[in-house]
Amino acid sequence: MENLQILLWGQIALFAVVMIFLSIYAAKKTKTIQDFAISGGNLGPYVLGLSFAATFFSAATFLGYPGWSYAWGYSNLTLYFENFYDK
């Protein structure tokens, strides 16, 4: 395998291990439905703001981009893919 492939698979494996560890850790701390849904009411304003921003921008991306493509036609998609594959 190429060095880049080895690096990629290593990063995917590291990500999977970290996600499994965090999931087990969080599952042990979750005792009630309030703990699961709202973190037991212990969220600070920064975490709550970042969560709201991530939710908002995710919805704006999934709903806004198809609308933009509909309004501008297929030429919009070619601009997206040109910028995507230039890197």
Side-chain angles (χ1 to χ4, degrees), residues 14-64:
L14 178 65
F15 177 78
V17 168
V18 168
M19 287 297 111
I20 290 169
F21 172 75
L22 289 175
S23 299
I24 292 170
Y25 176 73
K28 288 181 180 179
K29 291 186 72 169
T30 304
K31 305 291 184 219
T32 65
I33 192 68
Q34 285 82 15
D35 289 340
F36 176 78
I38 58 172
S39 184
N42 294 327
L43 291 177
Y46 295 112
V47 174
L48 190 59
L50 289 173
S51 176
F52 173 74
T55 303
F56 174 77
F57 287 121
S58 175
T61 300
F62 285 113
L63 296 175

